Amino acid sequence: MCATGAALFPAARAQAVSPATAPSPVAFGAHPSAAFLSKFHTGQTDAKLHAKSPEESRWLDEGERYSVLEPAQGNQDASDLVAYDTATGRRSVLVSARQLTPAGAAKPLSLNDYTWSADKQHLLVFTNSERVWRENTRGDYWVLDLATGKLTQLDPAAKPSTLMFAKFSPDARSVAFVRENNIYVEDLATGQVRALTTDGSPDVINGTSDWVNEEELDIRDAFRWSPDSQSIAYWQFNQSGVGDYTLINDTKALYPTTFHYKYPLVGTTNSAVRAGIVAAQGGATVWVQLPGDPRGNYIPGLDWAANSGQLLVESINRLQNDEHLYLADPHTGAVHSMFEDKDAAFLDVEAETRFANRYNWLSRGHADAVSTQPDLLWMSERDGWRHAYRLSATGAPPKLLTNFAADIISPVSVDQQHGFFYFTASPDDPIRAYLFRSRLDGTGTPERVTPAADTGTNSYDVSPNGKWAIHSFSSATTPPRYDLVELPTHRVVRTLEANAGLAERARALTGAVSEQFSETPVSGGVHLSTSITLPPGFDPSKKYPVLVEVYGEPAGAIVKDRWDGSLRKLIAGEGYVEVSFDNQGTPAPRGRAWRKAGYGSIGVLSTQQQAEGIRELAREHPYIDTTRMAIWGWSGGGTNTLNMMFRNPGLFSTGISVASVPDQTRYDTIYQERYMGLPKDNAKGYHDGSAINFAGGLAGNLLIVHGSGDDNVHYQGAELLENKLIELGKPFDFMDYPNRTHGIYEGPGTSTHVYTLIVRYLEDHVPSGPRPQ
């Protein structure tokens, strides 16, 4: 499940119906001020509050240069691929738009993505892309030969926009890609295309992923070239036996149409997943001999073990609390376990805790007489913190590399030349992030690299040679700034984007709002990270209405000291106090115990602590008007909004729930079972965590919003909740967005409509502005 509650109006899904004679969805009661609503028009909001970022760059020559796509001279609709010298900023054109114009075409290709061959003599261009679930991963590919200038389409006989994940072989002689669930290789010299797999079908998926593994384990590109270019390792998913889900489209044609796909609900059958190795010249696949039922385990990742003689395969059980790293023989498929990690709750195998390329192999040095197999850099919470370890293929105990009482927030890079591992962390403050580095030999303690002046949220893209980084910094009061810096001194070489004037434009639109952070005590000696945004002209002697934005689930934390130029400021600017808490069970860098606290009871602990948090905040701050309090959230935040309204009648007068999961048994296996276990083993937990079972407690105004085309959090759950509320005689309001997905953004005007809908509902039921105490 996406942690969409953390964004402005992220991806979401939910639906409900209003009581008997429902008002028009565009007019819940009296209209708020036209000036207020006009702020939510996307054009004006983007112009006033949107933070610019530099064009995406790619490191070249280990970091001595980087490439950027820029508008072509004299043609703003086309792009040149240019390079900048990192140290000096000297610009040169690598590939012009003219070179990217196919023979006989009137205009150049539109670049959705590009990659270089290892020898930098060929450029692979991804164009004409189409969306597959969350991302545009299907399209056409062209190869530009820089020596001859020849531009050639890969597999030109294929249907348009059907190729996926094309990538050069390490020797730059071939390109492999996926088409219609099979893996192919094209020889660049001859143009010959050969199929490496032929059993692909709607049920058998080679080289890419089924729905649930893509959504929850971030598996999309599911094949890997061997370093010697002789073999390809790949995932295969067999969806036969997985429940078939139907989405209904009532607006596409005269009669409703349906779309079917495989979606495993909790406790039901998963795809059978296995890993195979096939020769790049073709032949039979060698299947990796992983122990256990292929439908009872997942393969979060696989890659070659820094050589072509061994394949590393991750395997984790269905409960996601016991993971093995196996080294497989690509010729026989035989495996042996390199490392095992366990947790009483769950293991964190999600993408954000891994490197972009997932695996980093560390050289053991020439003096090592025991093994030439490199060590693996790995994240684990085995000591109570998310730390980095050095894993040996020899079976030696894991070696701790980040020796401090704090979590790694995110790994960044490895600089083997100088012997350092870079990562973000914030040992003393869970709402901020800074760059640290540790020695790869495990000596010493981590040292902070980010300057003290950059107090807030920092992120980095470090060059392969460890000398340079693109640094992004922002705080609640400082818009994003992007600098090219030198490491480890952090000397600014040049600023790439300063977002000059953004803070002033935001102030002109929202007024002088004040954003504060604190810790709110709740029962058990726990303190919740808290953000408070106060309206312009705030007077603590008066009473103000409150809007609480909630997420509360393990997929996201939302209290962070970073620039938020969206709903939070706009709402506060109209006379509301905007509040958020991060309860236990959210993925804050507060240690393993914090993150695993809600295991088996998702929705219960979060609601309890969020309720305690707002009560304590109101006790501490008399300016909070407890008669005018609303709560809203999206996705998991929509679910926690329902739980709050149903379990704490009267605490909030109004709730706005977008794209929620009212019944936890109606969500997918990987996400829900990770945090709740299997329904047959935790029936009480599933019951107590499902808001629908407590709908009788509703005592205020409730708006339910859902997209009927949500493939992630199904419309079905909203309909079941509607039926329950109708049965109980509980009035509520409902907005359906036809055929929109979890993000509810597709189609002209959709985002603006969602924003104004929520704003109208808030102002109709929770009047803005201060009142005397």
Side-chain angles (χ1 to χ4, degrees):
M1 182 189 296
C2 300
T4 52
L8 165 54
F9 282 98
R13 172 201 189 236
Q15 165 188 1
V17 263
S18 301
T21 52
S24 162
V26 296
F28 287 108
H31 290 285
S33 69
F36 186 21
L37 291 184
S38 72
K39 295 178 182 180
F40 291 85
H41 187 279
T42 53
Q44 181 178 358
T45 300
D46 285 349
K48 297 288 186 179
L49 296 181
H50 179 65
K52 296 179 181 179
S53 58
E55 292 296 325
E56 181 186 359
S57 59
R58 308 282 178 86
W59 294 110
L60 299 173
D61 307 331
E62 293 297 300
E64 295 309 308
R65 296 189 299 162
Y66 57 90
S67 62
V68 179
L69 285 172
E70 294 183 347
Q73 186 174 3
N75 185 355
Q76 294 297 303
D77 296 327
S79 297
D80 289 337
L81 183 58
V82 305
Y84 285 90
D85 183 90
T86 307
T88 67
R90 185 172 60 86
R91 180 183 184 273
S92 59
V93 176
L94 295 174
V95 179
S96 68
R98 178 184 54 79
Q99 292 173 277
L100 295 172
T101 304
K107 58 183 182 180
L109 298 171
S110 174
L111 273 66
N112 300 123
D113 199 1
Y114 66 92
T115 53
W116 293 97
S117 60
D119 61 6
K120 300 297 187 295
Q121 295 304 301
H122 293 85
L123 182 72
L124 181 64
V125 173
F126 182 45
T127 186
N128 197 29
S129 68
E130 293 182 356
R131 180 176 164 194
V132 179
W133 304 123
R134 304 292 164 260
E135 299 179 6
N136 282 37
T137 54
R138 184 181 293 130
D140 298 328
Y141 286 89
W142 295 70
V143 176
L144 175 66
D145 185 327
L146 271 69
T148 66
K150 185 178 181 181
L151 185 63
T152 307
Q153 185 176 5
L154 284 184
D155 199 8
K159 297 175 186 176
S161 299
T162 56
L163 274 59
M164 306 176 73
F165 313 118
K167 45 184 177 277
F168 290 111
S169 59
D171 64 11
R173 295 179 178 179
S174 304
V175 176
F177 56 86
V178 173
R179 173 165 56 82
E180 297 175 334
N181 292 340
N182 277 313
I183 303 171
Y184 297 82
V185 168
E186 180 168 334
D187 185 281
L188 292 179
T190 66
Q192 178 189 7
V193 177
R194 56 186 175 274
L196 301 190
T197 66
T198 57
D199 57 349
S201 70
D203 273 346
V204 177
I205 302 170
N206 298 298
T208 184
S209 176
D210 66 357
W211 183 92
V212 72
N213 280 272
E214 174 177 326
E215 176 68 24
E216 307 299 1
L217 294 179
D218 205 33
I219 300 171
R220 291 177 177 84
D221 172 2
F223 71 91
R224 306 288 184 265
W225 276 104
S226 63
D228 64 6
S229 302
Q230 298 302 302
S231 303
I232 288 177
Y234 68 98
W235 280 261
Q236 183 190 79
F237 296 90
N238 188 329
Q239 298 188 108
S240 60
V242 177
D244 191 68
Y245 207 91
T246 303
L247 297 178
I248 301 173
N249 187 327
D250 289 316
T251 64
K252 184 178 182 180
L254 183 61
Y255 289 92
T257 60
T258 59
F259 173 74
H260 300 268
Y261 69 110
K262 301 289 189 174
Y263 184 105
L265 292 164
V266 293
T268 68
T269 302
N270 273 325
S271 292
V273 57
R274 56 180 178 172
I277 304 98
V278 62
Q281 295 301 316
T285 292
V286 175
W287 296 107
V288 176
Q289 298 170 20
L290 294 174
D293 180 1
R295 292 190 187 271
N297 295 280
Y298 303 110
I299 300 178
L302 62 82
D303 206 352
W304 296 89
N307 57 59
S308 299
Q310 288 183 308
L311 184 72
L312 179 77
V313 183
E314 288 182 63
S315 179
I316 192 168
N317 63 336
R318 181 160 177 164
L319 288 176
Q320 297 170 74
N321 59 12
D322 189 357
E323 180 177 37
H324 282 267
L325 300 182
Y326 290 105
L327 289 174
D329 184 326
H331 304 292
T332 67
V335 301
H336 68 272
S337 180
M338 172 181 170
F339 176 70
E340 181 181 15
D341 210 0
K342 291 184 176 183
D343 194 288
F346 60 89
L347 291 166
D348 189 351
V349 297
E350 291 188 279
E352 61 264 27
T353 63
R354 300 286 189 255
F355 293 90
N357 61 349
R358 198 165 183 95
Y359 304 107
N360 270 267
W361 296 93
L362 309 176
S363 172
R364 295 176 62 87
H366 299 296
D368 192 318
V370 179
S371 172
T372 58
Q373 171 68 47
D375 291 342
L376 180 65
L377 186 62
W378 196 251
M379 308 297 137
S380 174
E381 297 175 319
R382 59 197 295 116
D383 66 356
W385 299 101
R386 184 187 296 130
H387 279 163
Y389 291 85
R390 190 167 182 143
L391 305 183
S392 171
T394 66
K399 187 172 187 177
L400 178 65
L401 299 185
T402 50
N403 185 21
F404 67 161
D407 284 309
I408 291 173
I409 296 175
S410 180
V412 174
S413 72
V414 172
D415 176 8
Q416 293 218 50
Q417 179 180 351
H418 301 99
F420 287 100
F421 161 49
Y422 285 93
F423 58 94
T424 56
S426 185
D428 304 315
D429 191 345
I431 69 170
R432 299 181 171 93
Y434 307 103
L435 187 67
F436 282 74
R437 66 176 187 171
S438 283
R439 294 187 178 277
L440 291 174
D441 62 8
T443 60
T445 57
E447 60 176 324
R448 176 168 158 164
V449 179
T450 302
D454 289 336
T455 300
T457 298
N458 297 267
S459 62
Y460 294 80
D461 176 11
V462 176
S463 64
N465 61 13
K467 291 173 58 177
W468 315 97
I470 306 296
H471 168 224
S472 169
F473 163 73
S474 79
S475 71
T477 57
T478 307
R481 185 190 75 237
Y482 297 86
D483 294 321
L484 174 65
V485 300
E486 187 177 33
L487 294 179
T489 63
H490 215 280
R491 178 181 67 88
V492 175
V493 178
R494 56 185 168 273
T495 296
L496 305 176
E497 178 57 62
N499 279 298
L502 178 57
E504 290 73 20
R505 294 196 300 273
R507 181 186 178 97
L509 186 65
T510 66
V513 300
S514 172
E515 297 174 82
Q516 305 173 353
F517 297 99
S518 62
E519 295 274 311
T520 302
V522 296
S523 60
V526 173
H527 288 74
L528 309 182
S529 293
T530 306
S531 66
I532 304 173
T533 305
L534 299 173
F538 173 73
D539 182 349
S541 69
K542 295 183 178 180
K543 290 278 191 181
Y544 289 84
V546 170
L547 176 64
V548 172
E549 178 187 357
V550 62
Y551 185 73
E553 291 213 352
I558 63 175
V559 180
K560 296 183 179 181
D561 185 9
R562 63 184 178 189
W563 180 258
D564 180 4
S566 53
L567 184 66
R568 190 181 303 270
K569 286 184 172 67
L570 291 167
I571 290 293
E574 293 303 312
Y576 292 88
V577 173
E578 223 276 359
V579 174
S580 286
F581 306 99
D582 276 338
N583 50 265
Q584 285 182 299
T586 55
R590 290 174 171 264
R592 176 211 169 274
W594 175 278
R595 291 186 290 275
K596 310 297 173 72
Y599 179 71
S601 60
I602 299 299
V604 178
L605 179 63
S606 58
T607 307
Q608 173 195 325
Q609 291 188 340
Q610 292 275 338
E612 290 180 7
I614 192 61
R615 289 189 175 108
E616 175 61 23
L617 206 67
R619 187 191 67 79
E620 294 176 356
H621 303 295
Y623 62 75
I624 289 179
D625 187 346
T626 56
T627 69
R628 289 186 292 161
M629 295 203 308
I631 184 169
W632 91 281
W634 198 302
S635 193
T639 305
N640 272 306
T641 295
L642 295 176
N643 270 315
M644 184 66 73
M645 295 298 292
F646 298 165
R647 295 170 184 269
N648 295 277
L651 179 58
F652 291 90
S653 69
T654 300
I656 302 168
S657 172
V658 187
S660 67
V661 182
D663 184 343
Q664 293 182 12
T665 66
R666 303 286 175 156
Y667 199 53
D668 74 60
T669 50
I670 295 181
Y671 181 93
Q672 208 66 52
E673 293 174 5
R674 179 189 300 150
Y675 306 121
M676 292 292 294
L678 294 172
K680 66 181 180 64
D681 301 325
N682 188 21
K684 185 176 188 302
Y686 274 88
H687 174 275
D688 292 353
S690 296
I692 194 170
N693 297 319
F694 302 89
L698 178 61
N701 310 295
L702 177 62
L703 170 62
I704 303 172
V705 182
H706 217 109
S708 68
D710 193 338
D711 60 279
N712 182 5
V713 181
H714 297 133
Y715 193 71
Q716 175 193 51
E719 292 182 307
L720 291 169
L721 177 60
E722 294 164 34
N723 276 341
K724 175 60 70 173
L725 291 168
I726 292 167
E727 174 190 334
L728 294 168
K730 297 289 184 179
F732 63 99
D733 296 298
F734 163 69
M735 183 67 198
D736 160 39
Y737 284 89
N739 309 313
R740 272 67 165 190
T741 62
H742 198 56
I744 314 184
Y745 61 86
E746 299 86 354
T750 299
S751 294
T752 298
H753 198 279
V754 176
Y755 303 163
T756 52
L757 168 68
I758 293 175
V759 171
R760 279 197 307 272
Y761 201 81
L762 175 65
E763 281 225 329
D764 283 351
H765 296 290
V766 184
S768 63
R771 293 176 179 173
Q773 285 194 10

